[in-house]
Amino acid sequence: MNPFAYVRVTAVDEAIKAYANTPNSRFIGGGTNLLDLMKMGVETPSQLIDITRLPLTEITATANGVRIGALVSNTDAANHQLIRTRYPLLSQAILSGASQQLRNMATMGGNLLQRTRCSYFYDPTYAECNKRNPGSGCAARLGINRTHAILGASQHCIATHPSDMCVALAALETSVQVSGPRGNRTLPFHDFHRLPGATPEIDNNLHPGELIIALDLPASTAAKNSHYLKVRDRNSYAFALVSAAALVDLESDGTVRLVKLAWGGIAHKPWRANLAETLLTGHQLERSRIERAAEQELKNAHVTVQNAFKIKLAQRTMVRALMTAARKDTLG
Amino acid sequence: MDSDEHPRLLDGGFNRREFVATAVAGILPLHTSTSTHSGSSSKISVSLLVNGQRQEAQLDSRVTLLDALREQFHLTGTKKGCDHGQCGACTVLVDGRRVNSCLSLAVMNDGREITTIEGIAQENSLHPMQLAFVENDGLQCGYCTPGQICSAVALLKEVSQGQASAVTQDLTQLKPIELTDNEIRERMSGNLCRCGAYVGIVAAVRQANGGE
């Protein structure tokens, strides 16, 4: 690890000032990804700003839903009564990721900022990685890319976003509250993470020095039937090959009043399936219709020989997640 | 024949049961080398309450909690496996919660209460979880065992608090957790055992939970 200065802050303003005053700073919360990247030599900050003592550890009911402080641990969020009863999709997604030890350390804000586990990004002995070293190329395109993106990738980067939690947050239409040198602002979740395009080194739309303060879960997605389904090579403690978050509200006659769908493991950001949602809203929730909706959403997929299986897997994962959410699991 | 020509045999007088008990208690007398960090800018004062004892040190900002425990405080029961948060061998309790000490900076734990495998036993008697690991053969080489036991001790506390896992049915129902083998396996998945003693580990956790 490169040497770095360490500073501990107790107020948000203090954190933002500390960042502005020292180039190449990083905020550190749980540190479960950042410290690992520093050990690998991928991240080489000159200063770490310890934000773990900031007063951002509350979960509160608000007029418009539920607010989760950025420094709430993943464990505490998943087990909080307000989350388990109103947003069980979020609890389910969080608990399907990492291990208890990591979830105890990892924070809600930090989870949004974790970086891809593409092995070419993670290991600096590979010269080519546009995300780590802009302009150097993408070793994954012709390398081992079984786990890589099939939607929204570019010739510059085919990495995926690794989070389970963020897939649920996308389906729940969460807003991200941030604070920075120019004040506070709100980012809708679909506008938080980026597709790689020609600048894969930029993961998200935070401005330099901005700090995530809180996540707001809206009342509109509370207390609906939902399900998070994760498919992976190992049954626990492994990243998703494909995952799907589904949330649905049916009319009394069985037609879809509201449906929110998102995929994980197939793109540079949690993939909100807007087209599939439109194709399903107002119709009876039949298996064949969900299959077609997912197929339409996946029609622009670009695959490699190794990850071509993800198209069918993504479709089937979505079908099962939504059928389970609707308590109409007709599989078997 | 000169005795020097004989291969040197390790003979500490251990039989298997004693060896196992020693490994479980985390007091194998392993030699550790001391690494030094050159080029560090400054040392930072850190004060930790480790197994009930106040420990003070001046540490480089880069020192992980794991390295501080092993190399500053000479508590070598906590093991370094992967050093990347993938194996769980370094699991300790911070303010009662299990964490990977390899992915935590010592300085960030200033003022916190740390419990390592050396602090799990009570006086001269093993913790019920340690006894359960011995009685159920919850180990073979013993390297992952201190992390497994710290993890398992925390697991029982989490279950008593009603914390859910990925295999808990219907999260909206806030009811007591039934600690099935499936629940134990999921909740222990952050601790790898390359010897494959998982069957014994699950049995040990079940026994310590009062299941048999």
Side-chain angles (χ1 to χ4, degrees):
Chain A
M1 234 187 278
N2 283 6
F4 55 85
Y6 169 82
V7 54
R8 187 182 300 147
V9 294
T10 52
V12 170
D13 289 357
E14 209 186 329
I16 290 163
K17 276 198 196 99
Y19 193 104
N21 291 339
T22 305
N24 198 23
S25 286
R26 297 283 186 284
F27 298 119
I28 184 164
T32 55
N33 189 213
L34 178 57
L35 277 180
D36 195 24
L37 290 165
M38 288 167 66
K39 288 181 181 189
M40 295 300 293
V42 176
E43 291 275 3
T44 53
S46 52
Q47 171 175 267
L48 284 188
I49 302 163
D50 180 353
I51 57 169
T52 55
R53 321 258 167 151
L54 295 182
L56 303 172
T57 55
E58 298 286 313
I59 297 179
T60 46
T62 65
N64 303 315
V66 171
R67 169 165 288 199
I68 306 175
L71 289 169
V72 172
S73 74
N74 286 1
T75 294
D76 287 345
N79 284 292
H80 197 279
Q81 181 198 338
L82 282 173
I83 306 301
R84 279 181 64 170
T85 54
R86 297 193 200 174
Y87 304 97
L89 180 68
L90 180 56
S91 294
Q92 224 187 340
I94 291 172
L95 293 171
S96 74
S99 66
Q100 179 79 29
Q101 289 97 311
L102 291 167
R103 293 190 297 269
N104 284 347
M105 304 168 81
T107 65
M108 296 299 282
N111 190 305
L112 271 63
L113 301 176
Q114 62 175 311
R115 309 209 66 191
T116 184
R117 294 328 196 268
C118 171
S119 51
Y120 302 101
F121 167 75
Y122 229 88
D123 184 351
T125 58
Y126 292 102
E128 291 181 318
C129 174
N130 289 319
K131 188 179 277 298
R132 179 163 37 75
N133 184 15
S136 62
C138 174
R141 287 183 69 205
L142 296 174
I144 306 293
N145 50 35
R146 176 173 169 269
T147 62
H148 286 67
I150 61 171
L151 285 177
S154 73
Q155 59 174 316
H156 305 284
C157 182
I158 58 171
T160 57
H161 195 263
S163 171
D164 292 296
M165 184 182 105
C166 288
V167 184
L169 291 178
L172 292 167
E173 299 191 321
T174 308
S175 331
V176 185
Q177 305 297 332
V178 306
S179 190
R182 293 182 191 167
N184 301 335
R185 66 187 182 117
T186 304
L187 283 84
F189 207 80
H190 64 81
D191 199 28
F192 185 85
H193 295 103
R194 297 174 74 256
L195 291 178
T199 52
E201 70 275 17
I202 307 171
D203 288 351
N204 58 61
N205 289 318
L206 283 180
H207 298 149
E210 278 186 329
L211 180 67
I212 299 174
I213 300 301
L215 304 175
D216 281 335
L217 299 168
S220 59
T221 54
K224 304 289 188 288
N225 287 333
S226 65
H227 191 66
Y228 186 74
L229 179 60
K230 179 174 181 178
V231 181
R232 42 187 160 174
D233 286 328
R234 181 168 72 183
N235 202 29
S236 182
Y237 200 18
F239 290 100
L241 289 169
V242 171
S243 69
L247 181 143
V248 67
D249 193 20
L250 301 176
E251 306 279 5
S252 54
D253 67 355
T255 57
V256 175
R257 182 187 298 139
L258 169 149
V259 61
K260 308 287 178 194
L261 304 170
W263 271 304
I266 62 170
H268 196 258
K269 60 187 282 187
W271 192 271
R272 178 76 184 278
N274 290 303
L275 175 60
E277 291 172 11
T278 305
L279 293 171
L280 292 168
T281 304
H283 295 278
Q284 291 286 323
L285 201 60
E286 289 153 0
R287 185 190 182 92
S288 58
R289 184 175 286 277
I290 307 171
E291 282 172 357
R292 284 200 304 278
E295 197 173 68
Q296 284 300 304
E297 189 76 44
L298 289 157
K299 70 177 185 298
N300 293 323
H302 283 273
V303 298
T304 68
V305 171
Q306 293 167 46
N307 72 8
F309 73 96
K310 280 192 175 184
I311 293 181
K312 204 69 186 170
L313 186 61
Q315 184 192 25
R316 289 173 174 170
T317 305
M318 185 61 81
V319 170
R320 189 184 289 190
L322 182 49
M323 295 298 277
T324 307
R327 303 180 195 285
K328 282 187 179 177
D329 194 349
T330 57
L331 295 157
Chain B
M1 190 183 284
D2 192 314
S3 63
D4 280 345
E5 289 176 281
H6 288 292
R8 287 177 178 229
L9 298 175
L10 288 171
D11 183 10
F14 284 107
N15 64 29
R16 174 169 160 79
R17 184 49 58 105
E18 284 165 350
F19 173 82
V20 164
T22 314
V24 168
I27 50 171
L28 268 184
L30 291 181
H31 175 74
T32 56
S33 61
T34 308
S35 71
T36 54
H37 296 291
S38 59
S40 62
S41 46
S42 61
K43 301 273 187 180
I44 300 163
S45 293
V46 181
S47 173
L48 305 172
L49 194 65
V50 185
N51 301 330
Q53 290 197 316
R54 179 62 57 193
Q55 299 275 11
E56 319 263 353
Q58 298 284 316
L59 298 176
D60 185 291
S61 57
R62 292 169 291 184
V63 175
T64 61
L65 178 58
L66 170 61
D67 287 342
L69 290 170
R70 289 182 57 83
E71 297 177 12
Q72 292 289 325
F73 309 137
H74 308 293
L75 294 168
T76 53
T78 306
K79 297 294 183 267
K80 183 181 282 196
C82 69
D83 208 25
H84 290 279
Q86 297 173 2
C87 77
C90 67
T91 301
V92 300
L93 312 184
V94 176
D95 291 343
R97 313 184 101 190
R98 46 175 162 160
V99 304
N100 299 111
S101 61
C102 74
L103 287 183
S104 185
L105 293 174
V107 292
M108 290 179 70
N109 289 281
D110 188 43
R112 308 278 191 222
E113 199 172 314
I114 316 294
T115 304
T116 69
I117 189 68
E118 291 91 341
I120 294 286
Q122 295 116 357
E123 298 291 319
N124 290 322
S125 61
L126 292 177
H127 185 282
M129 187 64 77
Q130 292 172 305
L131 280 173
F133 266 69
V134 173
E135 290 171 8
N136 291 280
D137 275 336
L139 67 153
Q140 206 175 109
C141 82
Y143 194 80
C144 72
T145 310
Q148 298 276 3
I149 289 174
C150 284
S151 210
V153 167
L155 181 159
L156 293 189
K157 189 175 164 199
E158 291 151 13
V159 167
S160 74
Q161 294 168 339
Q163 287 194 28
S165 85
V167 299
T168 304
Q169 298 296 311
D170 195 357
L171 298 172
T172 61
Q173 299 296 313
L174 306 172
K175 49 184 189 188
I177 304 294
E178 186 194 345
L179 194 60
T180 61
D181 285 1
N182 201 27
E183 282 276 7
I184 295 171
R185 280 191 286 268
E186 166 60 25
R187 289 166 189 265
M188 290 298 289
S189 72
N191 292 82
L192 304 189
C193 170
R194 295 301 295 271
C195 300
Y198 295 113
V199 173
I201 292 168
V202 171
V205 177
R206 194 193 308 128
Q207 177 182 318
N209 189 47
E212 58 191 41

